[in-house]
Amino acid sequence: MKDVATAAGVALKTVSRVVNEEPGVTPATARRVLAAIERLGYRRNESARLLRRGRTATIGLVIEDVGDPFYSGMGRAVEQVALAHGSLMFSGSSGEDPRRERDLLLAFCARRVDGLVIVPAGPDHGYLRPELDAGVAAVFADRPGGLDADTVLCANAAGAYAGVTHLLRHGHRRVAFLGDDPAIFTAAERLAGYRRALADAGLGADASLVAMGPPERAGAALSAMLTGGDPPTAVFTGNSRITVAVLRAGHRPPLVAFDDFELADLLTPGVTVVAQDPMGLGRTAAELLFERIAGGRGPARRIELPTRLVPRGSGELPPAPGTAGPGRR
Amino acid sequence: MKDVATAAGVALKTVSRVVNEEPGVTPATARRVLAAIERLGYRRNESARLLRRGRTATIGLVIEDVGDPFYSGMGRAVEQVALAHGSLMFSGSSGEDPRRERDLLLAFCARRVDGLVIVPAGPDHGYLRPELDAGVAAVFADRPGGLDADTVLCANAAGAYAGVTHLLRHGHRRVAFLGDDPAIFTAAERLAGYRRALADAGLGADASLVAMGPPERAGAALSAMLTGGDPPTAVFTGNSRITVAVLRAGHRPPLVAFDDFELADLLTPGVTVVAQDPMGLGRTAAELLFERIAGGRGPARRIELPTRLVPRGSGELPPAPGTAGPGRR
DNA sequence: CGCCCCGATGACAACGTTGTCGGCGAGGAG
DNA sequence: CTCCTCGCCGACAACGTTGTCATCGGGGCG
């Protein structure tokens, strides 16, 4: 900028005025400045500008895995909202590692982002307290975080309830639940929805029908259930990775899966799913964030986005004839 | 920082020294400063620091669609390399819109990123010339860009050649090619590989077996081919979106697909694919980038990553009996 | 003809850091 | 006792912008 000023024979401030299209510059002067800018290939240093102005027009996004379709869809929605607000977006993956999440978030804050959209990996975000006090906005998405901040969730329990009820309506009485580690918020919520659905249908809880743990063990867990005494006639899977693990293990039971996935409709039978809305999640989270950045006050909000049951065949199968008598014995 | 200095009763510079762990500070003084930092919740302003130092420790990534599994996998790899180099990553989607790509890239440059990883949407990147001259590094990934910069590609032609040859080895003589708009670099390259495979097998080119265009029309295009006279006995699809479109349209022909996709192994029959390596693409691109950022000179490099043929059933099917006689008539 | 006002421009400080250099006090050597 | 050295620390400028205020010149008006 200094060079441009020298080249155009004007003061620094005049160049600044031209660049910012501020009034009070003679067209002739402006032309001279613009010519110099063009000639020198000058581009304003946005970092310096933002340092001076205090707003960085930047937000940070931390998700579990940038490569996961669910989260990357969410990221895209956040990006769109950010762009609409003239902001750029840092993004990073926590990989479910709370320490890495912390490092990323603090790195973003050190860059003085205006706000954060966080899919929490760890339960504790106390380290963000000073940042929030310093004016950084934050929104948790998909799972609640360890702070009293705006939160956007999917209707995990209600969705699981609907999915399990769907199976019960098709005559099943013994429905297995294959879920992820119950330490994960969404896994626990979905399990709760499953249990409530059974209870509301007057069915008791049978611990032998529930297997919680890492997806790679889900196939074996289901195999064990099916070869045991009094096996399930239908299965509810708690997330896509588990669904896929079950399918890969060769199982094709009557099935409702939580979370939609590409090509679910092309399998035989098509997989009935409880679809979440990743784009909606991202959009809503980002909109809440920018409300806060714009100065919105008030208590933290908690929004649950509805799920949608998508019947595709696998969830409409009746109990296999010959299996399971009149229910539990 | 000023406040910390006042609180600790030392000069600004001393705080700076403590924060940066520079030598020459008495342990006692350092303790006092650290206490003040803790008490005030001070965090260094990285933007100001980087403004002063000249390096931003930030790179920018522009891909076609953050939500696409192929690109988001790539993004993850880029992110990992960036993190390993202590850099953060801006990311954005061009959505195949050259103008938006330009806006994003220039916005990143205005933030003075150290380098850019670009999946080019448009053919012309002349507008980046001043930025590159100013020292911003750039690497093109997946497609060549309109500048003489490092480029990392998949072996598009060779991969298509291998895939088509695979079909020919299984007895097919009439192989259809369903590809995307040939204005897209990868689509054109894959078409060339297809043609070369046919030529090397002594088969003439039959224009009626080639359909190039948007994925949503691929299903209809194949239907037309199959109901026409002298239909193909096998199909090669030029990318995943086209593959999926074909499958959704209900077709299950002998098939080899360019680009792997989740669950390809679970369909019946499993879909034989020419797998690319998105993580490798991202990793390689990012590594080249950081070499340049570290000061690497020399002419622009162009790297092609090999593809891998993954047989899963659909590509090993023989021509349907009754179809197609001894070849073209 | 003189005054005032206004529009164009410029000088300077400030944003929050870091690099450079100089000062100051203590301790060792002569 | 004096001088030099060295370790600790602080003052100041600079990075590239923008906000504030001053300056300067010309034109309208009394």
Side-chain angles (χ1 to χ4, degrees):
Chain A
M1 193 157 183
K2 191 159 49 174
D3 299 340
V4 173
T6 318
V10 298
L12 209 57
K13 180 62 199 180
T14 303
V15 179
S16 172
R17 273 192 263 262
V18 172
V19 171
N20 292 301
E21 301 180 2
E22 287 174 28
V25 180
T26 312
T29 313
R31 263 199 306 279
R32 241 177 35 244
V33 171
L34 288 172
I37 287 177
E38 183 66 27
R39 187 148 36 89
L40 299 180
Y42 164 80
R43 304 286 163 92
R44 175 170 63 192
N45 184 331
E46 205 69 15
S47 308
R49 167 173 216 237
L50 296 171
L51 167 63
R52 185 63 230 269
R53 308 195 100 194
R55 266 287 180 78
T56 58
T58 305
I59 66 170
L61 170 71
V62 175
I63 58 193
E64 193 221 312
D65 179 1
V66 171
D68 182 306
F70 181 83
Y71 293 117
S72 61
M74 214 192 97
R76 179 166 174 62
V78 173
E79 185 205 330
Q80 283 174 350
V81 177
L83 232 62
H85 284 81
S87 286
L88 293 186
M89 183 180 86
F90 281 119
S91 69
S93 311
S94 69
E96 294 285 8
D97 177 354
R99 235 184 53 199
R100 183 151 151 179
E101 173 183 42
R102 176 172 173 277
D103 292 347
L104 273 172
L105 287 172
L106 290 182
F108 290 166
C109 288
R111 296 295 218 287
R112 291 296 188 269
V113 294
D114 297 330
L116 298 165
V117 173
I118 311 168
V119 176
D124 179 32
H125 296 87
Y127 54 83
L128 283 181
R129 196 72 265 167
E131 321 293 349
L132 300 201
D133 293 342
V136 179
V139 173
F140 292 108
D142 193 47
R143 315 168 192 173
L147 275 179
D148 186 40
D150 290 342
T151 305
V152 186
L153 305 171
C154 285
N156 290 293
Y161 184 95
V164 172
T165 301
H166 185 73
L167 286 168
L168 298 179
R169 284 219 194 94
H170 284 83
H172 297 279
R173 285 297 168 270
R174 292 186 61 70
V175 177
F177 183 90
L178 299 176
D180 212 319
D181 183 346
I184 299 176
F185 172 80
T186 53
E189 287 286 297
R190 293 166 197 173
L191 176 60
Y194 159 83
R195 288 197 169 130
R196 198 150 44 75
L198 293 189
D200 284 3
L203 297 170
D206 183 343
S208 74
L209 290 180
V210 173
M212 306 292 282
E216 54 271 25
R217 289 211 219 126
L222 179 54
S223 301
M225 283 184 196
L226 290 173
T227 56
D230 212 358
T233 67
V235 175
F236 186 87
T237 49
N239 68 37
S240 280
R241 291 213 302 275
I242 289 185
T243 307
V244 170
V246 164
L247 295 173
R248 282 237 161 81
H251 299 296
R252 290 294 185 282
L255 170 68
V256 173
F258 200 103
D259 194 12
D260 201 358
F261 55 99
E262 181 88 19
L263 303 193
D265 56 325
L266 286 183
L267 299 176
T268 37
V271 177
T272 297
V273 301
V274 175
Q276 306 181 79
D277 180 8
M279 299 278 287
L281 202 63
R283 186 166 24 81
T284 309
E287 280 165 359
L288 288 186
L289 186 72
F290 279 101
E291 272 180 42
R292 294 291 182 184
I293 291 177
R297 297 279 149 247
R301 287 158 293 181
R302 182 180 179 120
I303 296 181
E304 279 209 1
L305 297 183
T307 58
R308 195 167 42 91
L309 186 85
V310 184
R312 294 202 179 108
S314 76
E316 292 72 45
L317 297 170
T323 9
R328 263 181 104 189
R329 257 160 309 179
Chain B
M1 191 153 173
K2 192 159 47 176
D3 299 339
V4 174
T6 317
V10 297
L12 209 57
K13 180 62 199 181
T14 302
V15 179
S16 173
R17 272 192 264 262
V18 172
V19 172
N20 292 301
E21 300 181 2
E22 287 174 28
V25 180
T26 312
T29 314
R31 260 198 309 280
R32 241 181 31 245
V33 172
L34 288 173
I37 286 178
E38 183 65 28
R39 186 149 35 89
L40 299 180
Y42 164 80
R43 304 286 163 92
R44 176 170 63 193
N45 184 331
E46 205 68 16
S47 307
R49 167 173 215 237
L50 296 171
L51 167 65
R52 184 64 231 265
R53 307 195 102 194
R55 266 288 180 76
T56 59
T58 305
I59 66 170
L61 170 71
V62 175
I63 59 193
E64 193 221 309
D65 179 1
V66 171
D68 183 305
F70 181 84
Y71 293 116
S72 61
M74 215 191 96
R76 179 165 173 64
V78 173
E79 185 206 330
Q80 282 174 351
V81 177
L83 232 63
H85 283 82
S87 286
L88 293 185
M89 183 181 86
F90 281 121
S91 69
S93 310
S94 69
E96 294 287 6
D97 177 355
R99 237 185 50 199
R100 182 149 150 182
E101 174 183 40
R102 177 172 174 276
D103 292 347
L104 272 171
L105 287 172
L106 291 181
F108 290 166
C109 288
R111 297 294 220 287
R112 292 299 186 267
V113 294
D114 297 331
L116 297 165
V117 173
I118 312 169
V119 176
D124 178 33
H125 297 86
Y127 55 83
L128 283 181
R129 197 71 267 168
E131 321 293 351
L132 300 202
D133 292 343
V136 179
V139 173
F140 292 108
D142 193 47
R143 315 169 193 173
L147 276 178
D148 187 39
D150 290 342
T151 305
V152 186
L153 305 171
C154 285
N156 290 292
Y161 184 96
V164 172
T165 300
H166 186 73
L167 286 167
L168 297 179
R169 283 218 193 94
H170 284 83
H172 297 278
R173 287 296 169 268
R174 292 186 60 70
V175 177
F177 184 90
L178 300 176
D180 213 320
D181 183 346
I184 299 176
F185 172 80
T186 53
E189 287 286 296
R190 293 166 196 174
L191 177 59
Y194 160 82
R195 287 196 169 131
R196 198 149 47 74
L198 293 188
D200 284 3
L203 297 170
D206 183 341
S208 74
L209 290 180
V210 173
M212 306 293 281
E216 54 271 25
R217 290 212 218 124
L222 179 54
S223 301
M225 283 184 196
L226 290 172
T227 56
D230 212 359
T233 66
V235 175
F236 187 86
T237 49
N239 69 38
S240 280
R241 291 212 303 274
I242 290 185
T243 308
V244 170
V246 164
L247 296 173
R248 283 239 161 79
H251 299 296
R252 290 293 184 284
L255 168 70
V256 173
F258 201 104
D259 194 13
D260 201 358
F261 54 99
E262 182 87 20
L263 305 192
D265 56 324
L266 286 183
L267 300 175
T268 38
V271 177
T272 297
V273 301
V274 175
Q276 308 180 79
D277 180 8
M279 299 279 283
L281 202 63
R283 186 166 26 79
T284 310
E287 279 165 358
L288 289 186
L289 186 71
F290 279 100
E291 273 181 40
R292 295 290 182 183
I293 291 177
R297 296 280 148 246
R301 286 159 294 181
R302 182 181 179 119
I303 296 181
E304 279 209 359
L305 296 183
T307 58
R308 197 166 41 90
L309 187 84
V310 184
R312 294 201 179 109
S314 76
E316 293 73 44
L317 297 170
T323 10
R328 264 182 102 190
R329 256 161 310 182

